[in-house]
Amino acid sequence: MKIRNIFLSILVLFATTSVLNAAKTMRVTLQLPIKHSLGQNWLEFKKLVEKGTNGEVKVVIFPSAQLYKDKQVPGAVGGGAVEAGSALMLRFTGSVPAVDVVSLPFFFKDEAALRASVRNGSHVRTILDKAILKETGAKVLWWQAYSHNVYLNNGKPIRVPSDLKGKKVRTYGKILGWTVEQAGGYPTIMSGSKQFLAYQQHAVDVGMTGLSAVKSRKLYEVMHNVTLSYDSVIEFVAIINNKFFNSLSPKNQKVILDAATIVEKHLRDKVYSGEEKLAKELESKINVVRLTPQERAQWQSIAKPVTDRFIKAVGPMAKKVIAAAKADAAGK
């Protein structure tokens, strides 16, 4: 009887080990809390993947930068230290400078043009996703909409470019800094987590961020005005280590790609349909400034010099991406 029990125990242990070995674990590093829209986006992806693969692929999410900070994510995922993660698109400018195209002021004339350019399979995505994979070893699964850019300040609200003249402005990317310079201001690149203290201590005069960050980081406690300039877009990318992806069965690869397509659309729909609702919600906490058509035209007037500078700095790849975006917007 003892021998039989030992034999059964060995069989159970062997079977359990086999199941564990058969399952692939995809660890996801996320800079933001799980309650954030990007965290909820990954949770939806996790449910779809685990159900679609019958548990053969397990997705484990590590939010709030438990594993890596945002700037470390491209290297960590591309190098295989972690299987997947989210990173601000601009974190790839070192290896693929052309990704900064999303920061060009008023590059996307409207939401329809934006959606056409960032959808899976678009000319823009084909160029940039391929370049990111080649340069970093990270495969782009989907683009994660974050929000449009807005300006924050105290005192007289920011309404036109000249309102930035002589002001220190917090930015989060090089092209955004060029926009500030074109308006006569002085850009200071700063991580999102440092904003509150910087505004509180008056280290900068003006801030640039996404509307959702105004709420989540409680920036309304240290800034009195938020200007809905919506002059550029903030995009994150969900990436996966390419070697890990290729180690999966074709069936499970398809499940992952299909899930990515679904959650990408859900997030973008949610983010852009919810911005006006969020703006109204914040009206009780901060002065929300909406630009007139005439004021917006003044911001658009400084866009071309920034775009020309981008083309000169990045070269042929910049021209290629810009042409691709125009083709996407035209439906070609």
Side-chain angles (χ1 to χ4, degrees):
M1 191 69 174
K2 273 187 180 181
I3 294 176
R4 183 174 180 274
N5 288 340
I6 292 173
F7 179 70
L8 287 174
S9 298
I10 291 173
L11 282 178
V12 170
L13 179 61
F14 178 78
T16 303
T17 303
S18 297
V19 170
L20 290 174
N21 287 339
K24 291 274 190 176
T25 301
M26 182 194 301
R27 294 168 300 163
V28 177
T29 178
L30 178 64
Q31 180 74 10
L32 296 151
I34 200 67
K35 290 183 179 180
H36 189 275
S37 58
L38 265 61
Q40 294 300 299
N41 194 225
W42 274 110
L43 277 178
E44 183 184 8
F45 174 82
K46 169 184 169 71
K47 291 177 182 177
L48 290 172
V49 169
E50 292 185 346
K51 181 179 180 181
T53 64
N54 294 316
E56 291 178 9
V57 178
K58 299 289 186 183
V59 180
V60 183
I61 305 168
F62 294 88
S64 303
Q66 292 178 44
L67 297 183
Y68 298 98
K69 294 181 179 179
D70 181 62
K71 64 182 180 181
Q72 299 172 315
V73 174
V77 175
V82 67
E83 289 75 35
S86 287
L88 180 66
M89 173 67 82
L90 303 189
R91 293 303 184 194
F92 292 91
T93 54
S95 52
V96 186
V99 300
D100 227 351
V101 68
V102 299
S103 299
L104 292 176
F106 299 102
F107 177 70
F108 303 106
K109 67 176 182 178
D110 53 31
E111 188 178 330
L114 168 63
R115 284 178 178 268
S117 291
V118 303
R119 65 175 175 78
N120 188 22
S122 70
H123 296 303
V124 170
R125 284 282 302 271
T126 299
I127 294 170
L128 295 181
D129 291 3
K130 183 178 179 180
I132 289 173
L133 175 58
K134 179 181 177 182
E135 297 297 328
T136 69
K139 178 181 178 65
V140 176
L141 290 177
W142 75 96
W143 285 27
Q144 294 178 298
Y146 187 83
S147 67
H148 287 94
N149 183 65
V150 298
Y151 287 88
L152 292 161
N153 80 311
N154 290 315
K156 178 186 174 184
I158 302 295
R159 301 201 74 103
V160 292
S162 59
D163 289 332
L164 296 182
K165 190 173 182 179
K167 302 288 178 63
K168 291 182 181 178
V169 183
R170 178 263 168 170
T171 70
Y172 47 90
K174 183 168 64 175
I175 304 297
L176 296 164
W178 292 354
T179 302
V180 170
E181 289 174 350
Q182 190 63 34
Y186 304 101
T188 300
I189 293 182
M190 182 187 300
S191 67
S193 61
K194 294 181 179 179
Q195 283 185 91
F196 189 97
L197 192 60
Y199 301 153
Q200 186 179 53
Q201 297 181 344
H202 308 292
V204 293
D205 306 303
V206 180
M208 297 173 80
T209 189
L211 195 59
S212 63
V214 178
K215 178 182 178 181
S216 64
R217 297 186 187 278
K218 298 184 178 181
L219 300 180
Y220 50 77
E221 293 183 357
V222 287
M223 287 297 207
H224 299 153
N225 309 304
V226 57
T227 300
L228 309 184
S229 58
Y230 292 169
D231 49 336
S232 61
V233 295
I234 305 172
E235 293 283 328
F236 277 67
V237 282
I239 53 177
I240 187 171
N241 177 268
N242 195 49
K243 290 182 178 178
F244 174 79
F245 180 79
N246 288 334
S247 73
L248 303 175
S249 68
K251 170 182 168 292
N252 288 342
Q253 287 180 2
K254 185 177 186 305
V255 169
I256 286 175
L257 295 177
D258 288 347
T261 299
I262 292 170
V263 301
E264 177 170 16
K265 183 180 185 305
H266 287 175
L267 178 62
R268 195 163 299 279
D269 289 346
K270 179 181 179 181
V271 167
Y272 290 129
S273 66
E275 277 191 316
E276 180 56 29
K277 179 181 178 182
L278 178 56
K280 288 182 179 179
E281 180 186 332
L282 288 169
E283 285 177 348
S284 63
K285 302 177 184 294
I286 191 170
N287 178 35
V288 177
V289 180
R290 293 174 173 81
L291 301 181
T292 66
Q294 293 76 19
E295 289 168 339
R296 188 168 297 280
Q298 290 191 48
W299 287 99
Q300 291 171 331
S301 70
I302 69 172
K304 188 177 185 304
V306 178
T307 300
D308 291 343
R309 187 174 176 181
F310 172 69
I311 293 172
K312 184 176 180 180
V314 177
M317 184 72 152
K319 289 184 178 181
K320 189 176 181 181
V321 174
I322 289 173
K326 290 179 179 178
D328 286 330
K332 297 180 180 179

